[in-house]
Amino acid sequence: MTSPTEPFDQIREKISGYILSESSFRGESSFIVASASIVKCCSRLKNTLGFTYLADLTVVDYLTVKFPRYEVVYLLHRFGDSYEENLRIRLKVALEQDDPAIDSVTSVWSGANWLEREAYDMFGITFRGHPDPRRILMPDDYDHFPLRKDFDVRDRESSKRCFKRALDEGLE
């Protein structure tokens, strides 16, 4: 029987060149990875260590609480034959406020396509190399990102304008 830390030791060994730091909480490990190496790190995790499932991708906006302001979070899952072989890890990538952009991981997991589009639409994070970087939830001409901490929910004029135009044009 393997020790609980053995799989994580193997992960550390395989992606050590990409890890800036790591933490563990309640049995889940998080690895902080450099933005420039996210695609290589994800490819290695998928192809070498069997993390074939991107369970989720989201963004955290720390605004003035923490710098850099944004953090892209990838939740990865590895399926195993037994319960002990099922693993979840979290990758985190910090992004600066002035240039919230990162390479797309759609070449690694096709399921990242819609998750990255949602992260762009709600937070304004640009995913370089994304195959279809259109907005997914908000109108194309909407010029705000609703889940950013500095989004003014009281400013309804741009929302009214965009949604009125969309209703007037009807569904395409």
Side-chain angles (χ1 to χ4, degrees):
M1 184 169 173
T2 62
S3 74
T5 60
E6 191 174 310
F8 297 106
D9 292 338
Q10 183 184 27
I11 293 166
R12 263 185 229 93
E13 178 186 322
K14 294 287 186 186
I15 65 169
S16 63
Y18 307 118
I19 300 173
L20 300 175
S21 65
E22 67 179 275
S23 63
S24 184
F25 182 70
R26 294 187 179 176
E28 288 196 12
S29 292
S30 296
F31 298 97
I32 310 298
V33 177
S35 172
S37 61
I38 189 63
V39 176
K40 289 179 184 175
C41 180
C42 289
S43 293
R44 179 156 302 162
L45 284 165
K46 179 181 179 185
N47 299 326
T48 307
L49 294 166
F51 284 90
T52 56
Y53 183 55
L54 173 64
D56 201 5
L57 181 157
T58 191
V59 178
V60 179
D61 179 0
Y62 290 104
L63 194 56
T64 59
V65 175
K66 180 179 167 185
F67 296 97
R69 177 178 174 175
Y70 300 106
E71 196 170 67
V72 180
V73 182
Y74 302 82
L75 185 61
L76 310 179
H77 188 85
R78 179 175 84 182
F79 296 96
D81 293 334
S82 69
Y83 176 78
E84 292 80 23
E85 293 173 344
N86 282 287
L87 288 179
R88 280 190 166 224
I89 63 169
R90 191 176 294 108
L91 298 181
K92 297 180 178 183
V93 179
L95 299 179
E96 298 293 334
Q97 176 173 331
D98 297 337
D99 182 27
I102 188 169
D103 293 332
S104 172
V105 295
T106 54
S107 61
V108 181
W109 298 288
S110 60
N113 187 325
W114 288 57
L115 297 170
E116 289 178 351
R117 285 179 66 185
E118 180 182 18
Y120 165 71
D121 205 7
M122 297 289 104
F123 290 96
I125 305 299
T126 303
F127 291 88
R128 293 182 295 261
H130 191 279
D132 187 11
R134 294 176 297 142
R135 292 195 99 139
I136 194 170
L137 300 168
M138 305 303 288
D140 291 335
D141 61 342
Y142 193 71
D143 52 0
H144 300 291
F145 302 103
L147 291 183
R148 284 187 175 181
K149 298 285 183 176
D150 55 1
F151 176 71
D152 186 359
V153 296
R154 296 166 296 180
D155 178 16
R156 295 197 170 103
E157 290 310 310
S158 60
S159 298
K160 286 180 187 177
R161 176 183 42 82
C162 291
F163 288 112
K164 182 172 180 355
R165 184 200 47 77
L167 286 171
D168 290 345
E169 289 177 6
L171 297 175
E172 294 178 18

